[in-house]
Every structure is written in structure tokens, then in C-alpha cells.
Amino acid sequence: MSFGGAGTGHRPEMLRRKTLANNARLALLLTALSMPLAVFWLVGGYPLPILIAALGLGGGMVTLALHQRGMFEEAASGQVYAMLAAGLLLTLADARVADAGLAVALMATILASLLGRASLRRQSWILLAFIGTVGAIGSLLPIARMDPGLLTGTGALAFLISVAVVLHTANRISAAYEVYDKAQINAYRHLIEHVQDAVLRFSSEGEVLMASQSSETLFGCRRYQLTGSGLMERLHVADRPKFLTAFADANKSGMARVFEVRMRQDDARATRNVPRFIWVEVSLSPVIEDESGGEHEVVALLRDITDRKDGEAAMAEARRAAEEASEAKSRFLATIGHELRTPLNAVVGFSEMMATGIGGELSPTHREYAGLIHQSGKHLLEVVRMLLDMSRLEAGKFELQAEAFAAQDIIEPCFAMVDAMAQARDVRLVADIGKNLPMLVADERACRQILLNLLSNAIKFSNPGGAVTVTLKRQGTSLNLSVSDQGIGMAPESLDRIGEAFFQEHAGLTRTYEGTGLGLSIVKGLVELHKGALRAMSEIGAGTTVTVLLPINGPAIKSDDTATVTPIRKEPAAAPTSSWQDEKRKAQ
């Protein structure tokens, strides 16, 4: 017979179902053996024994059929009800209160407690009370009764059959749970012995009662060496107070604890006498059997985390080395920048004097050479300036001097500084300034640098005959500064790298546009210093728009001044529109 419906993890339920089938077969066997005696009494004019036997045969066959159809709860109920019915018949036939019928009904309640659910157990007790009441009432009424000897024999036979069924059930259920408990214990023992983490069990006094096989691998010794003071001796001296405190919390307060300690690990193949300590993560769990308090047994899980600790130490060392390298790079850039700026200023100044003829008239060729020297020197000075600004930003030494100023006043001076570059590339400069702009609390010099870098990038990547538009407007608690061009645009994957140092979309030795790739990186650093935001939108062939959002009240936003906007009048709700007009247009 299949017990798949009970599931592989419900062994007691499977045995309970098998007990139901065995009970039905046992009842059929015993009642069949008593049937000749019941027929003999029926011939003698006593129908009660044959009724009891028929009830036993019918109940056994019906419950066995229900069991074979998978109706296990109905089968259990049928066995209990058949036994209660037999008890009721015997009670009605006997005038005594404490008769065999009541005993048989009592056996039915015991059977219900062994095999039935809570509802069946309640019903059996209610029916037992009913049978007892019927017996008590029947003993007071002057009703003719059967032969006492016959009643005694019939009741004894029914009682013996019911006792046999109950004893068989109790024996099977007890054996089932004994086997189940033993299987569970074996499963837990197998799990503890083969789990990767070491498992220790401490008594309420702190003694090691059990150590798993994996603890031998963790500590490099036999498990019996961990008993007594063996475990405490393996603890690092500096970590013993931590272990004792955590163990006291679990042992006395019933609180779980997880902590990390160092423990000695033995190595029989070691060539040196220096002990080797490993990092161990200890998880303490109290075994709380009741709520009476007091001291508890403690189960400890120990895991070797030495590799993780070594990885964390390596990461910390790598982080420290990277920070030192970054600091050294910043110092190098600052030093080289200052060392290059002085001679470059001389080169730019003297080349400009030579180009203007202050030192004497030059031939056209020499004047061209002087102009090239002047142009290259200015380019190098710009590169040095950007490197210095970038190093100061990375080192966190770029200090803002925030003060209130009109942001629209910096647009014309910035246009004048890039006008020559715009004319050389045939690019128009357009300003779109919003009305009633508030004063901006920020570093004016940094804002000029932000706008100059954005304008230089936009002009550089614009097509001849295009336009670069600067838009300035208020956006909530921030000031929106946008620079748009109609140039070559950027790919979506390049937009994700906006602000990355030395990044250029058109990189390589064959690139068309010169530059260091530091412009937008400096812009991003200056915007972040102001607690602002940098955004970019672009489409290849359609141009790029870079937006900078700067807090109106400076890096420390005063929410009381700008965050809350109180509407003067409530906007009327939009009138609901019917889709009938749209459908009518579609039909036309």
C-alpha cells in the first residue's frame, strides 16, 4: 500500500495509517472467530451477541474499505463510532450503571486519543457521557433485562475485542514514535558529526559535554582534549574576557551571541614551536527548555574565518597603499605644476613680446614661429592649471569662498573669454536668461570656471555654423545652468562616464579633438563641492546638453527659505473629458 500522501518527512503519520488497516483486520478476525458462538446464542433466542458481532464485522469491512480509498480520517472515525455503538447496545441491555458497555465506550475514547484528531477526540468524550447517562437512566427504569450470564459473556467478549484493538494500537503507536525518535536522534547526530563547522555543547556549568568530529580538524587535536580546561587554554589571552562575557550572556541571560576570537591550532607537521593562532567566529545559542530562568546549556558553532580576516587585512593594506599612491600623485602633480608654471609664463610672455615686435622687428617666418610658441605655451599653461585644479579637488584642498552674487553677471565675461575660440570655429554664442532670478550663494570664481569649461567643450565639439546656448533659470531650490550645443553628440555608454578624469569619447592617437579630458571632471568636482548635481543628455549627431544644478542658498541649504512653496490660490481641478469626441474623430 502506498503512503506517498503522507510525505517523506511524516513517518508517524504513515505508521498511524498502517495501524488503522491492522485494526480493521484484527476486528474482522476476532469477530469472525466469535461468530459461531453468536449464532448459537441466536438459535437459543438471544439476538444481542449476533448484533455485536455483526457490528464488529461491518465496522471492520467499512473502515478497511475507507482506508484503501485513502479516506484515513473517516476510517479512524468509523472504528471509534463502531466501538461506541457496541458500548451503547451493551448499556441498553444491562441494568447496571458500571456495565461492560461503558467499559467498551471508554476503550473507544482511548482509541480516539491514539488515532484521531482533536475533533474526533471531543466527539468521543461527548458520546461517552451520553452512553453513561443512558445507562444511568436505564438502571432506574423497570425494564425487563436479558439473562445476566449471557450479558456477562457478551460484554466480556466485546470488551476483550476492544481491549485487543486498543492494545495493538498503543503498541504500534509507541513503537512508531520510538523508531521515529531514534531516527531523528541518528539524523541529528549524523548532521553534527559531518557539518563543516565545529559544534560544541556546554553544560550549564560551562563544561564541554560534546564535541563534533569537525572540531578535530579545526583545532588539530582529538576531541577529548577539548574537555575540562582544554578549550580555554586554546583561547588567545587577549580574547578570553570576550569569550567569558559572551558565554555568561548565553548561559545565564539566555541571549544568543556571535563574536570573533583567536584560537590556537595544533599542527603535528610544524617545524617550529611557535603556536599558530587562527581567527574563529563563535556563535553561542542557549538551550532554553523552560521559562523558569536559571543557567542554560549552550551550543556553540565555531567557524574558521582566517582566510576572510586575511582578505580583509589585504584589502585594508591595498586601500592604504592606494590612498598613499593617490596622495603621492596629487603631491607630484602639484609640485610639477608649480615647477612648470614659472618657466611657461616666461615662454608665453617673451614669445608674445617677440610676436608684437617689442624686441625688434622679426621676419614673417620668425613672427610665425613666435606665434606658435606663444600658442603652445598658453596651451601648456591651461593644461597645468587644469592638473593643479584636479589635484586640489582630489586632495580636498579646494576651498570655496561662498558669497551672494548675480549668476547672470558671469555669462558675458565668460562669452568674452571664449569669443575668439567661437569665431575661429564659426560658432554663435546665445544666452537665455530667465527673469527674476534670485541671488546665488556660491563661489563666483568656481562658477566662472564651471561655465568656461562647459563653453569650451561645447564650442570644441560644435559643427561650423552651429550655436552654443547658455540657459539660466530657477528650478525649485536650485539654479539651473545648462549649456547646449548642436555638435557631434555622445553615445549612451559615454554619458555614464561623464566626469571621469582623462576620459574622452574620441580618444586614441588619431583623435580629431585635442584636450586632456579633465574639463568635465573639474566641473563635476566643483559642482559636488557646492552640493549640486551634474546631468547630461546627448544624441549622436544632434548635440549635447550639460546641466548643472547649484543650491541657491549655497552648500548648506536653508530649507526654511527655499524648500516650502505656499500656493496663493488653489488651481481648479481639470474638468473630466469624455473619450466620445476622440472616438468620433477616429470614426470620421
Side-chain angles (χ1 to χ4, degrees), residues 1-23 25 67 72-73 114-115 117 168-169 172-173 175-177 179-180:
M1 187 167 52
S2 174
F3 294 96
T8 57
H10 297 79
R11 182 175 178 84
E13 173 63 18
M14 296 170 63
L15 295 173
R16 184 183 78 97
R17 296 178 180 181
K18 184 178 288 188
T19 303
L20 286 172
N22 292 338
N23 285 348
R25 296 188 183 98
H67 182 276
F72 305 108
E73 301 307 320
L114 292 174
L115 293 178
R117 305 300 183 189
H168 172 265
T169 302
R172 293 288 296 175
I173 295 296
Y177 277 98
V179 172
Y180 177 74

Side-chain angles (χ1 to χ4, degrees), residues 143-166:
I143 303 176
R145 302 295 177 179
M146 295 179 57
D147 181 26
L150 181 60
L151 282 174
T152 302
T154 305
L157 185 59
F159 180 72
L160 289 176
I161 294 175
S162 62
V163 168
V165 171
V166 170

Side-chain angles (χ1 to χ4, degrees), residues 538-553:
S538 183
E539 184 179 351
I540 295 180
T544 303
T545 299
V546 181
T547 301
V548 171
L549 297 177
L550 297 175
I552 293 175
N553 291 326

Side-chain angles (χ1 to χ4, degrees), residues 342-359 362 370-371 373-374:
T342 301
L344 282 175
N345 281 328
V347 170
V348 171
F350 283 111
S351 62
E352 185 177 4
M353 292 172 61
M354 293 173 62
T356 55
I358 294 179
L362 300 177
I373 293 173
H374 179 71

Side-chain angles (χ1 to χ4, degrees), residues 429-448:
L429 300 178
V430 181
D432 183 9
I433 302 174
K435 298 181 179 179
N436 301 324
L437 293 178
M439 300 291 286
L440 177 65
V441 179
D443 190 323
E444 184 176 354
R445 180 178 60 87
C447 292
R448 288 175 183 270

Side-chain angles (χ1 to χ4, degrees), residues 88-115:
L88 180 61
L89 288 176
L90 290 172
T91 299
L92 292 175
D94 198 346
R96 294 171 296 177
V97 176
D99 56 356
L102 191 60
V104 172
L106 184 59
M107 290 295 105
T109 59
I110 297 176
L111 182 65
S113 65
L114 292 174
L115 293 178

Side-chain angles (χ1 to χ4, degrees), residues 81-235:
Y81 291 153
M83 198 173 292
L84 287 170
L88 180 61
L89 288 176
L90 290 172
T91 299
L92 292 175
D94 198 346
R96 294 171 296 177
V97 176
D99 56 356
L102 191 60
V104 172
L106 184 59
M107 290 295 105
T109 59
I110 297 176
L111 182 65
S113 65
L114 292 174
L115 293 178
R117 305 300 183 189
S119 58
L120 181 59
R121 292 195 293 268
R122 288 193 299 269
Q123 295 172 10
S124 65
W125 282 105
I126 293 173
L127 293 176
L128 176 63
F130 172 74
I131 293 172
T133 304
V134 170
I137 295 174
S139 63
L140 300 177
L141 298 177
I143 303 176
R145 302 295 177 179
M146 295 179 57
D147 181 26
L150 181 60
L151 282 174
T152 302
T154 305
L157 185 59
F159 180 72
L160 289 176
I161 294 175
S162 62
V163 168
V165 171
V166 170
L167 287 178
H168 172 265
T169 302
N171 181 64
R172 293 288 296 175
I173 295 296
S174 177
Y177 277 98
E178 182 179 352
V179 172
Y180 177 74
D181 292 341
K182 186 176 180 180
Q184 291 290 92
I185 293 174
N186 290 336
Y188 289 136
R189 182 181 293 113
H190 179 81
L191 175 64
I192 291 174
E193 291 296 333
H194 294 84
V195 73
Q196 186 176 1
D197 298 339
V199 182
L200 300 179
R201 181 184 175 190
F202 296 89
S203 67
S204 57
E205 289 78 20
E207 299 179 357
V208 178
L209 300 178
M210 184 274 297
S212 65
Q213 184 177 358
S214 52
S215 61
E216 298 182 353
T217 305
L218 179 65
F219 294 107
C221 66
R222 305 298 295 176
R223 65 180 83 182
Y224 67 83
Q225 296 178 349
L226 300 176
T227 58
S229 59
L231 180 65
M232 189 59 61
E233 291 177 354
R234 295 180 177 277
L235 273 170

Side-chain angles (χ1 to χ4, degrees), residues 252-451:
K252 298 180 180 179
S253 303
M255 296 183 294
R257 287 290 180 263
V258 179
F259 55 95
E260 299 171 356
V261 293
R262 288 161 290 183
M263 290 188 173
R264 191 181 79 246
Q265 185 183 60
D266 296 339
D267 187 359
R269 295 172 293 179
T271 58
R272 297 182 302 172
N273 294 327
V274 179
R276 177 177 183 264
F277 283 90
I278 60 174
W279 279 99
V280 177
E281 182 184 72
V282 182
S283 176
L284 298 180
S285 300
V287 181
I288 303 176
E289 297 181 353
D290 51 35
E291 302 297 334
S292 59
E295 297 179 347
H296 310 284
E297 292 187 356
V298 178
V299 175
L301 294 178
L302 294 86
R303 175 177 300 177
D304 186 357
I305 58 171
T306 305
D307 293 340
R308 190 183 77 187
K309 282 290 185 179
D310 292 343
E312 292 176 356
M315 289 180 61
E317 179 63 23
R319 187 183 300 109
R320 185 190 61 80
E323 292 174 353
E324 290 182 356
S326 178
E327 186 178 354
K329 180 199 69 175
S330 300
R331 289 198 304 267
F332 170 78
L333 291 177
T335 302
I336 292 298
H338 285 295
E339 292 295 328
L340 289 177
R341 180 174 287 183
T342 301
L344 282 175
N345 281 328
V347 170
V348 171
F350 283 111
S351 62
E352 185 177 4
M353 292 172 61
M354 293 173 62
T356 55
I358 294 179
E361 289 295 329
L362 300 177
S363 65
T365 302
H366 291 162
R367 184 176 292 108
E368 180 183 358
Y369 292 165
L372 292 175
I373 293 173
H374 179 71
Q375 182 181 358
S376 300
K378 288 184 64 178
H379 177 71
L380 283 177
L381 272 178
E382 182 65 18
V383 171
V384 170
R385 182 189 64 80
M386 297 180 72
L387 286 174
L388 287 175
D389 289 342
M390 192 66 202
S391 64
R392 291 169 62 193
L393 285 171
E394 288 185 349
K397 296 180 179 179
F398 198 106
E399 298 181 359
L400 297 180
Q401 302 294 331
E403 58 184 11
F405 69 97
Q408 59 269 26
D409 294 344
I410 68 172
I411 296 180
E412 289 300 330
C414 291
F415 276 3
M417 297 177 69
V418 299
D419 185 63
M421 180 181 179
Q423 291 182 4
R425 297 190 62 86
D426 190 19
V427 175
R428 294 182 294 110
L429 300 178
V430 181
D432 183 9
I433 302 174
K435 298 181 179 179
N436 301 324
L437 293 178
M439 300 291 286
L440 177 65
V441 179
D443 190 323
E444 184 176 354
R445 180 178 60 87
C447 292
R448 288 175 183 270
Q449 189 170 354
I450 290 173
L451 183 56

